[in-house]
Amino acid sequence: MQICKLIAAMFVVFIHFGFPGRLGMIIDCIARFAVPMFFAISGYFSYKINNKKIEKRIIYMLKLNIYAISFYLLLNIIEVKFIFNGSVYNYLHSVLNLTSIAKWIILNLEPIAGHLWYLTSILIVYIFLWIYTRFFDEKSINYKPLYMTGVFLIIIHILIGSNAAPAGIQISYIIYRNALFWGLPMFCLGMFINQYYKRIIKNFNLSSLKIILIIIFGLLFSLIEYIGIGKTEMPIGMIFTVIGILLIVIRHPNTELIKNKYILSIVNTIPLIIYVIHPSINWILLKLLKPEIYENMYLYPF
């Protein structure tokens, strides 16, 4: 699953700095599995987690948010002051005001660096899980109401995020690309699969081939959505792809990698590093190489 997160992190880069032409459109569509996968894997490892561990994750994600936001805040101040010779005060006022902070907390619209919305969303999801588990004894947590809530929220996400455009309704992605309508449902999906994966595989007689076909179906369905509806933040088909990827890695765990703590620590760390810093690498490249960097757009994402 950590290797899946590493691959997903690379595809996040392909979303933000994509390939040109039709190939770029196809890869952008396929890459939409990445962030839902992050949420689902975090949820998978949160099934039956106790409150102390949830609190540790909340503190960890809070620190990570502070570090990442501070890094990009400093980078933006350097750009405003030394490149554009602008007012740092005006910049700070534009990104840190009551409106932007409210959008940040409610809609996870990160004002300093937009791609960091995921870190805010997963932090809120962990806080929600911590509050939910407080209503139960740690040994007898009933997750079914949480799963039902996730189903309800993902249906809303699909209605307003994927099907609004064909109905002639324009709804901004910031309404549904957040902890509530995206993060929590996919997080719950990961928990659900952890709890019931044996029953799912047995009841549906899912061989490895069938699971791979589920992944392919999700990707093809997403491409059909892309062609028929247009670009969406999370195509419906990607739900099937994420389910398939989780099931296939559960069926085929790599115990040798788990034994190698050095490799495991690298695989655990690199996806997060890629996710957090990749826009800053783009910023540096543009400042150093300027327009020349765009001479080969097939190479640029790499």
Side-chain angles (χ1 to χ4, degrees):
M1 287 195 184
Q2 298 300 340
I3 292 175
C4 287
K5 288 175 71 174
L6 175 59
I7 296 170
M10 295 177 183
F11 274 96
V12 168
V13 178
F14 297 157
I15 291 174
H16 294 154
F17 310 106
F19 298 93
R22 185 167 295 180
L23 175 65
M25 294 170 60
I26 293 172
I27 293 178
D28 179 90
C29 181
I30 292 173
R32 297 292 162 174
F33 84 93
V35 179
M37 174 64 68
F38 288 145
F39 283 117
I41 290 177
S42 296
Y44 180 88
F45 289 116
S46 297
Y47 174 61
K48 284 190 173 181
I49 187 174
N50 60 50
N51 285 329
K52 288 184 178 179
K53 286 187 177 180
I54 298 175
E55 289 169 4
K56 286 183 179 179
R57 291 189 186 181
I58 289 173
I59 293 170
Y60 172 75
M61 292 309 305
L62 183 60
K63 288 180 178 179
L64 187 59
N65 267 275
I66 293 171
Y67 295 150
I69 290 167
S70 300
F71 172 72
Y72 280 99
L73 183 62
L74 178 60
L75 202 65
N76 292 344
I77 289 173
I78 291 172
E79 183 174 42
V80 168
K81 182 65 178 176
F82 297 104
I83 297 178
F84 296 113
N85 197 26
S87 169
V88 174
Y89 173 81
N90 289 340
Y91 164 71
L92 293 175
H93 182 70
S94 67
V95 297
L96 298 175
N97 54 67
L98 290 177
T99 302
S100 65
I101 292 172
K103 288 182 178 179
W104 185 6
I105 296 172
I106 299 171
L107 300 173
N108 312 149
L109 193 63
E110 221 286 342
I112 309 298
H115 74 290
L116 297 179
W117 73 270
Y118 168 77
L119 298 183
T120 303
S121 293
I122 193 65
L123 171 62
I124 292 173
V125 170
Y126 279 128
I127 292 172
F128 183 88
L129 180 65
W130 180 80
I131 294 171
Y132 181 83
T133 55
R134 303 288 290 183
F135 291 97
F136 300 92
D137 181 87
E138 287 193 356
K139 295 181 180 179
S140 58
I141 300 175
N142 181 9
Y143 291 105
K144 289 183 179 179
L146 191 62
Y147 298 155
M148 294 305 297
T149 301
V151 170
F152 174 73
L153 293 173
I154 200 64
I155 289 173
I156 294 178
H157 176 104
I158 290 170
L159 290 175
I160 67 177
S162 301
N163 292 325
I169 304 171
Q170 296 298 324
I171 298 177
S172 175
Y173 71 90
I174 66 173
I175 302 298
Y176 55 85
R177 194 204 66 175
N178 47 52
L180 184 62
F181 295 118
W182 192 347
L184 185 60
M186 298 309 296
F187 190 89
C188 290
L189 175 64
M191 295 177 69
F192 179 86
I193 290 178
N194 189 327
Q195 184 173 359
Y196 294 109
Y197 72 89
K198 289 182 180 179
R199 190 184 300 180
I200 293 170
I201 290 173
K202 182 179 179 181
N203 289 352
F204 291 95
N205 191 25
L206 293 178
S207 63
S208 296
L209 177 60
K210 289 180 180 178
I211 297 174
I212 291 172
L213 290 176
I214 291 172
I215 297 172
I216 295 172
F217 168 79
L219 294 174
L220 291 177
F221 192 86
S222 298
L223 287 171
I224 292 171
E225 286 181 81
Y226 193 100
I227 295 169
I229 299 175
K231 182 177 179 180
T232 59
E233 288 293 313
M234 187 179 72
I236 301 170
M238 286 309 165
I239 299 173
F240 295 96
T241 298
V242 169
I243 292 172
I245 292 173
L246 286 177
L247 291 176
I248 200 71
V249 297
I250 291 169
R251 281 187 66 92
H252 301 282
N254 193 323
T255 54
E256 293 303 316
L257 274 180
I258 294 172
K259 291 176 183 176
N260 192 320
K261 293 182 179 180
Y262 178 71
I263 293 177
L264 190 61
S265 64
I266 292 175
V267 175
N268 284 345
T269 306
I270 289 179
L272 186 60
I273 293 174
I274 293 174
Y275 186 90
V276 171
I277 74 167
H278 72 273
S280 67
I281 301 298
N282 173 66
W283 186 87
I284 292 168
L285 288 173
L286 289 179
K287 301 308 172 188
L288 292 178
L289 302 178
K290 297 183 179 178
E292 290 82 357
I293 192 70
Y294 291 108
E295 288 182 358
N296 191 338
M297 284 304 294
Y298 287 100
L299 179 64
Y300 185 56
F302 293 102

